[in-house]
Amino acid sequence: IRFGSFLRRLVGFFMEFECQERAEVSIVGEGLSNQGAELRIGDGSVEVPCVKLCYQQKKATLVVPRDKDLSTNTHRYTIIDLPQALISEILNCLDPKELGLVSCVSTCLHRLASEHHAWKGFYCERWGLPVFRSKTFLGRHSIDTLYGHTEAVRTVFLLASAKLIFTSGYDCVVRMWGMEEGLSIAASKPLGCTIRAVAADTKLLVAGGTDGFIHCWKAVDGLTDLFDLTGFQKEKTKFRLWEHEGPITSLALDMTSIFSGSWDMSVRIWDRSSFKCIKTLRHSDWVWGLAPHETSIACAAGSDVYIWDISSETPEAIIHDAHEGNTYSLARSHSGDFLFTGGEDGGIKMFEIRKHGNETSVLLISQWMPHTGPVYSLSFEFPWLVSASGDGKLALIDVRKLLKTNRRGLPKRVSSRIVEPPQRMLHGFGSNLFSVDVGCDRIVCGGEEGVVRIWNFTQALEIERRARALKGMRLENRMRRRRTQMEMNAKSGRPDQCSIAAHKNPVNGDRNRAWHTKRRASGKAKA
C-alpha cells in the first residue's frame, strides 16, 4: 500500500470510518490511482492488495465485496481490524496532538498511540521523564573509545532511532559506527575538505565541509545500516548540493527541509523533494550554529542570536551580544519554547521564547559558567543539557526545575551576576572537545585527540530500575502483611492496634506522647 499525504486526512474521520459489506471502495487520494480496489477478509486476517480513499461529506466507507449475498449479515469491520503494522504506519504521519485524539477512539489505538515515539517525546517535554530516569546521568557509567579517524574529530551525530553514530573531521572522511557494539560499520571516500557538520535521519544523511558543498546520501531500501557510504551498492545514492560561497558550519534536518549555515553569512533552506534552495536568510556575521523548530529557526551569527520566521523570511527577535565574543553553539527544546546558547566566554545561557500575537519576546531564564574555554557544542535531551568545551570537559545541566518554575508563572529577569552551577562535570580529556550529542542514555563526543568517546549510562539506569523495583516489592509486602493482620483482627474481634495508636497519636500532634505514656505507666508499676 502506498501512503501519501492523504494519511493525515484519514485520521480526521477515524470515528466515522466503518466497513459495510456490499459496496465498492470509493477513494481518491493524492498520488494514488483511481482504479478499483478490494479488501478481502479471511480467517481473522486482512489482506489489502490496493486501497483508494476519498473524503465525501465527512464520511468514508470501506466495503468488502463477496461472492455470496451477505445483506443479512450485520457484522461490521472497523479501522482497528487492520493489522497493527498498518496502523503504526498511519500513526507515523501524525503529530502528538493528533495522536492524543486517536488514542481516545479505542483501547487498541490508545495502546498503539501511547507507545509512539512522537507522543513519548511530547509527554517527556511537558511533564518530564520519570524521576529515576532523569537521574540517569548522575549515576555510574562506562566509557567506550572508538578509533578510526587519523585527525581531529569536528562533528558527531547520534541517530538514536537506528542506533547509529556518524562522525567526521579534519581527515575528510565520514564514518558510521554501531552504537551498541561501538564497531566501525562503514567509511566514505575522502571528500576533499574538512567536514564541520553532519546531520541524519532514517531517510537522508548530509555532511557539510569547507568546500561549500553539502554531501548527501539517500537511505537504501533493505539495507540494515541505512546508508551506503562505500558506494558498493549498484544504486546511486550519493549526490551534492552547492549554493554556499563559504565553509558550511552547521546542518539540520526536518521532514521537508534541509537547513545549512555557512561562513558566507547566510542560512539556506533546501526542499527535500527537489533538493533545491528555496529560501536564504542573510546575516551580518559568520553563522556558527542553527536550531530549527517548525516555522521558526534560531541562528547564531557572530555574538548575536537571530530567531527567524521561515515563511516570511523576517527576524522575529534578535538577542544582541548573547556572549562575550562569538556564540558558537545552539540547542533548542522539543517544544521550541526554550533556547540554549554557548559562547566563546565559556558560558551557557537559557532563554525562553514567548509569542504574544504577532510579537515575539526573549527572556533570559538562567546562565551557567562551567567552562574555562569556549563552548563549541550543545546537545539537549530532556531534562539534560550537555556541553563540550575547549577546556576538554563536558558539563551536564539538569533544567527540569527551571522548566517547571516557568510553567507556573512569569519569571523575573535574571541578573547577570547570578550563575548556576552544573549538576555534573565529566573529565578525562587532554585537549579541545569540538562536538557532543546525547541520546539513548549515552553521551557521544569528539575532539582534537582524533578519537570518539561514548559515555554509557545504561548501567546507572538499570541499577536505578532495580532499586525502585525492590522498593516497590517491599511496599507491596508491607501492605500485604497489613491487610492480613486486619483480617485476622476482624475474625478474632480484636481492634486494630495500629489504628488505635494512629488515632491516639495523630501525625500533626505530639509524636512522643505514646512514649511518655508508657514511661508514666512503668513508673506507677514500679511505685
Side-chain angles (χ1 to χ4, degrees):
I1 302 173
R2 294 185 56 196
F3 289 93
S5 60
F6 71 94
L7 288 176
R8 191 177 296 273
R9 303 174 186 172
L10 176 62
V11 179
F13 46 83
F14 259 150
M15 296 291 292
E16 299 174 321
F17 187 85
E18 60 180 6
C19 292
Q20 311 218 352
E21 300 201 338
R22 299 243 358 136
E24 185 178 0
V25 183
S26 301
I27 300 169
V28 176
E30 295 181 14
L32 297 179
S33 63
N34 295 329
Q35 299 175 357
E38 182 180 270
L39 176 66
R40 297 192 298 272
I41 300 182
D43 300 335
S45 63
V46 180
E47 183 180 359
V48 189
C50 179
V51 172
K52 294 190 300 177
L53 299 176
C54 79
Y55 183 73
Q56 183 177 4
Q57 296 180 355
K58 296 184 179 180
K59 185 173 182 180
T61 58
L62 185 61
V63 179
V64 185
R66 299 198 179 180
D67 296 337
K68 58 182 181 180
D69 186 9
L70 296 177
S71 58
T72 58
N73 193 348
T74 59
H75 181 73
R76 296 187 177 186
Y77 297 92
T78 62
I79 188 66
I80 62 176
D81 293 319
L82 294 173
Q84 292 187 359
L86 184 61
I87 299 176
S88 297
E89 288 294 330
I90 297 174
L91 298 184
N92 283 334
C93 300
L94 308 181
D95 56 29
K97 182 179 179 180
E98 292 169 335
L99 286 172
L101 295 175
V102 170
S103 65
C104 300
V105 177
S106 69
T107 55
C108 175
L109 293 177
H110 173 78
R111 178 174 54 82
L112 292 174
S114 300
E115 294 176 355
H116 198 271
H117 62 85
W119 171 249
K120 285 185 176 180
F122 177 76
Y123 182 93
C124 293
E125 179 65 27
R126 178 165 241 180
W127 293 288
L129 292 168
V131 176
F132 74 92
R133 192 175 183 88
S134 67
K135 296 181 180 179
T136 299
F137 288 160
L138 297 178
R140 298 178 182 178
H141 63 267
S142 60
I143 302 178
D144 297 327
T145 304
L146 312 183
Y147 298 92
H149 288 283
T150 57
E151 296 185 57
V153 177
R154 288 290 321 188
T155 178
V156 299
F157 186 88
L158 174 60
L159 184 58
S161 59
K163 296 184 178 181
L164 296 174
I165 298 173
F166 300 93
T167 62
S168 190
Y170 289 155
D171 60 2
C172 313
V173 174
V174 177
R175 291 187 176 274
M176 178 167 55
W177 314 77
M179 185 190 72
E180 297 288 352
E181 301 84 7
L183 300 177
S184 178
I185 298 175
S188 69
K189 298 178 181 179
L191 301 178
C193 65
T194 298
I195 303 299
R196 300 182 63 95
V198 170
D201 56 20
T202 56
K203 300 295 183 183
L204 186 66
L205 167 65
V206 292
T210 54
D211 59 354
F213 284 96
I214 302 177
H215 304 265
C216 307
W217 291 266
K218 291 183 179 180
V220 179
D221 294 336
L223 191 62
T224 306
D225 304 321
L226 298 180
F227 304 103
D228 177 28
L229 296 181
T230 58
F232 290 154
Q233 300 290 329
K234 295 181 180 180
E235 183 180 356
K236 187 68 174 178
T237 60
K238 185 183 182 303
F239 58 95
R240 298 192 302 177
L241 306 177
W242 184 81
E243 285 284 346
H244 285 289
E245 299 175 357
I248 295 174
T249 57
S250 51
L251 289 169
L253 298 175
D254 67 7
M255 295 295 294
T256 59
S257 305
I258 304 172
F259 304 89
S260 60
S262 171
W263 281 353
D264 63 2
M265 299 185 290
S266 71
V267 171
R268 294 184 180 272
I269 304 174
W270 310 74
D271 180 49
R272 287 187 61 163
S273 59
S274 62
F275 295 105
K276 293 182 179 180
C277 180
I278 55 177
K279 295 180 185 297
T280 303
L281 309 178
R282 299 288 180 181
H283 299 77
S284 59
D285 207 333
W286 289 0
V287 175
W288 292 97
L290 52 84
H293 182 269
E294 295 182 353
T295 60
S296 67
I297 180 173
C299 307
S303 60
D304 301 332
V305 177
Y306 296 77
I307 300 174
W308 294 81
D309 178 68
I310 296 177
S311 59
S312 62
E313 301 182 42
T314 57
E316 297 179 336
I318 302 176
I319 307 173
H320 294 285
D321 299 323
H323 293 271
E324 296 180 6
N326 291 322
T327 301
Y328 284 134
S329 53
L330 294 177
R332 206 164 177 179
S333 63
H334 300 296
S335 63
D337 298 333
F338 296 95
L339 178 67
F340 306 94
T341 64
E344 191 174 357
D345 55 1
I348 301 171
K349 294 184 179 181
M350 176 181 176
F351 297 91
E352 183 177 7
I353 304 172
R354 292 181 175 174
K355 292 188 177 181
H356 309 279
N358 296 328
E359 297 183 358
T360 301
S361 61
V362 181
L363 296 177
L364 177 63
I365 302 301
S366 185
Q367 57 184 344
W368 302 266
M369 290 291 294
H371 299 290
T372 58
V375 179
Y376 288 120
S377 180
L378 291 173
S379 182
F380 179 75
E381 183 184 59
F382 184 87
W384 289 99
L385 176 68
V386 183
S387 62
S389 172
D391 61 4
K393 299 177 183 177
L394 296 174
L396 280 64
I397 302 171
D398 187 355
V399 300
R400 172 191 290 270
K401 294 182 179 179
L402 294 173
L403 298 182
K404 287 185 177 180
T405 301
N406 286 279
R407 291 195 191 102
R408 293 172 183 170
L410 297 176
K412 298 180 180 179
R413 287 189 175 272
V414 177
S415 173
S416 58
R417 298 180 180 179
I418 301 177
V419 179
E420 299 288 340
Q423 274 64 41
R424 187 171 187 176
M425 299 291 294
L426 300 179
H427 306 265
F429 302 93
S431 55
N432 294 333
L433 291 180
F434 293 130
S435 183
V436 67
D437 204 358
V438 58
C440 294
D441 303 314
R442 290 170 173 82
I443 298 175
V444 184
C445 64
E448 195 171 358
E449 294 177 330
V451 298
V452 179
R453 284 188 172 88
I454 303 176
W455 302 72
N456 191 342
F457 289 86
T458 54
Q459 182 182 3
L461 179 61
E462 187 63 29
I463 292 174
E464 191 65 27
R465 282 175 174 168
R466 291 177 183 174
R468 292 185 66 87
L470 290 174
K471 184 178 179 180
M473 291 174 62
R474 288 195 297 267
L475 179 60
E476 184 179 355
N477 292 335
R478 191 181 302 117
M479 296 301 295
R480 187 183 296 112
R481 290 194 299 268
R482 167 83 171 142
R483 288 193 298 267
T484 304
Q485 184 65 35
M486 292 178 62
E487 292 175 358
M488 292 176 61
N489 293 337
K491 291 180 180 179
S492 61
R494 296 170 54 189
D496 187 2
Q497 299 298 326
C498 295
S499 300
I500 295 175
H503 180 72
K504 290 183 177 180
N505 301 282
V507 175
N508 56 356
D510 186 5
R511 296 180 181 271
N512 297 324
R513 184 184 302 172
W515 183 79
H516 287 297
T517 303
K518 291 181 179 180
R519 187 177 182 183
R520 282 198 298 269
S522 61
K524 291 178 181 179
K526 290 181 180 179

